[in-house]
Amino acid sequence: MVNRRKFIRTASLGSLAGLLAKDVLAAEASVSNGPVVISTWDAGLAANRGAWEVLGNGGTALDAVEKGVMVTESSINCCVGLGGNPDRDGFVTLDACIMDHQFNCGSVAFLERIKHPVSVARRVMEKTPHVMLVGSGAQQFAVAEGFPLESGALSPDAQKAYTEWLKKAEYKPVINVENKAHGPFAPAIMPTGEFNHDTIGMVALDAKGNLSGSCTTSGMGFKMRGRLGDSPIIGAGLYVDNEVGACTATGQGEDVIRVAGSSAVVEMMRQGLTPEQACKKIIERIVRIKKEKVKDIQVAFIALDKKGRAGSYAIHPGFSYAIRTTKGERLINAPSHFKKTS
Ligand code: SD4
């Protein structure tokens, strides 16, 4: 099996570096109507490939956004799924949601020992009268649906990071740590303790012109037990309105929730803003709300409109997102409120 980190490192020396260099200035990718898929961070490249197996064969955006993020959830070297960092009590707890083109949505949160939270979220959407299941109830539902109960053991990387973290036991999220752990410029060996949090959010437009989205995460590393971020919350970490567009968020979930982030971005697109302008508008709102504290937090949105135009905006530089269309794949550095890392 190809080691994911090695693969990304290898790719970074060649194609990814080239892609980045070419596209650093491509703040907004204008593409014709679908299929198109975008997802957060550099891990999005591999996830988009998973999604493209569906989209490229005429499949639905809904199937694509589930299959796509499952690639990331499956990776033992990534902190999105069960390989992620634990909460401060040493348990990995997972959050995920999914939404289709008809306002159907499903979500799970505080879910333990299940490998594919996004698929459980889809079952919640399709098989229950509810939108959200949490904790032991979500796990009970998953097991009843045939999802295997995995071991609760931490991955070797997460165990190392947790042991290191316990020395100070200080909750201090690090901006853009996602890229430090896995990005093209990541150190070959991840420095212990920097492996803090990670999420993948994905939105797609299929050949029929329907939009869907998904988001899955292990949440902020070393969070309080029971803490939820934006990722499983429809309207915060993800929102899809098939008449307008779709958006997903990454970064400090608390600050996405307080502005109903993804829903707010979609509303801006409804008013005629492009995806990038819409993301920027809501990022600037967070900047105003957080005042001087904003220097310590990262939030980024990625959005896709009904025409298949993609855009993104972040608080700090260093956030990238991956896009895949019929013309190929690219990693794009998102424009940001701050122009330099402080
Ligand atoms: C959370 N928004 O749990 C997630 C974290 C994240 O990249 O996006 N990490 O708040």
Side-chain angles (χ1 to χ4, degrees):
M1 202 175 77
V2 183
N3 173 304
R4 181 174 171 278
R5 199 173 306 137
K6 239 196 217 153
F7 164 71
I8 290 204
R9 294 278 316 153
T10 314
S12 74
L13 300 175
S15 54
L16 285 191
L19 290 170
L20 262 177
K22 261 192 273 152
D23 291 309
V24 161
L25 300 175
E28 185 152 41
S30 273
V31 290
S32 54
N33 282 338
V36 49
V37 57
I38 57 172
S39 44
T40 54
W41 303 105
D42 37 23
L45 282 172
N48 284 357
R49 280 175 214 140
W52 202 256
E53 285 174 21
V54 177
L55 288 176
N57 289 311
T60 66
L62 179 64
D63 286 339
V65 296
E66 181 188 2
K67 291 283 164 331
V69 302
M70 281 173 75
V71 170
T72 329
E73 285 179 344
S74 293
S75 164
I76 51 154
N77 293 317
C78 180
C79 34
V80 164
L82 288 174
N85 271 344
D87 62 20
R88 69 184 193 184
D89 292 6
F91 301 100
V92 175
T93 68
L94 305 176
D95 306 329
C97 70
I98 192 160
M99 186 161 187
D100 76 4
H101 60 292
Q102 294 175 314
F103 298 99
N104 296 309
C105 42
S107 159
V108 288
F110 195 45
L111 176 62
E112 293 174 287
R113 298 177 56 191
I114 300 288
K115 191 172 176 185
H116 288 299
V118 72
S119 302
V120 186
R122 183 165 178 180
R123 297 283 174 93
V124 172
M125 172 174 101
E126 291 177 342
K127 292 201 162 179
T128 79
H130 308 303
V131 165
M132 222 173 165
L133 291 180
V134 306
S136 58
Q139 191 191 66
Q140 186 185 331
F141 171 71
V143 170
E145 283 294 309
F147 290 86
L149 197 55
E150 311 286 342
S151 123
L154 298 184
S155 71
D157 280 344
Q159 183 61 59
K160 255 194 251 161
Y162 184 51
T163 307
E164 192 61 29
W165 180 79
L166 281 173
K167 292 182 185 162
K168 281 195 183 161
E170 236 175 37
Y171 180 70
K172 236 178 158 188
V174 178
I175 287 176
N176 294 333
V177 72
E178 295 88 343
N179 278 342
K180 280 186 197 143
H182 304 295
F185 307 120
I189 296 170
M190 184 183 63
T192 311
E194 283 212 321
F195 183 50
N196 194 312
H197 67 266
D198 210 328
T199 298
I200 185 148
M202 172 180 280
V203 290
L205 179 72
D206 63 29
K208 287 202 175 121
N210 287 323
L211 289 158
S212 291
S214 61
C215 190
T216 179
T217 188
S218 55
M220 305 294 260
F222 321 120
K223 60 197 174 186
M224 284 177 72
R225 184 140 181 85
R227 177 265 185 195
L228 299 184
D230 59 313
S231 302
I233 300 178
I234 298 295
L238 176 72
Y239 199 66
V240 179
D241 182 330
N242 206 45
E243 279 191 2
V244 177
C247 175
T248 187
T250 186
Q252 188 140 302
E254 285 76 4
D255 296 309
V256 177
I257 293 171
R258 63 180 105 250
V259 296
S262 293
S263 162
V265 169
V266 170
E267 288 314 303
M268 290 299 153
M269 291 194 284
R270 194 191 308 282
Q271 289 175 28
L273 269 53
T274 66
E276 182 187 318
Q277 288 166 344
C279 293
K280 181 173 182 202
K281 196 92 178 164
I282 306 307
I283 287 293
E284 298 300 355
R285 186 174 293 171
I286 298 172
V287 169
R288 277 199 304 280
I289 292 169
K290 295 302 289 185
K291 303 195 172 75
E292 65 284 355
K293 287 194 186 133
V294 80
K295 66 178 183 2
D296 297 325
I297 61 161
Q298 175 67 305
V299 170
F301 296 109
I302 61 171
L304 193 58
D305 71 8
K306 189 68 186 164
K307 294 180 191 154
R309 292 182 303 175
S312 175
Y313 212 78
I315 296 178
H316 292 276
F319 168 70
S320 53
Y321 69 104
I323 181 165
R324 175 115 194 201
T325 70
T326 47
K327 295 196 183 108
E329 64 179 17
R330 295 188 294 165
L331 191 62
I332 297 175
N333 269 3
S336 52
H337 172 79
F338 292 107
K339 301 304 169 205
K340 276 198 217 144
T341 323
S342 51

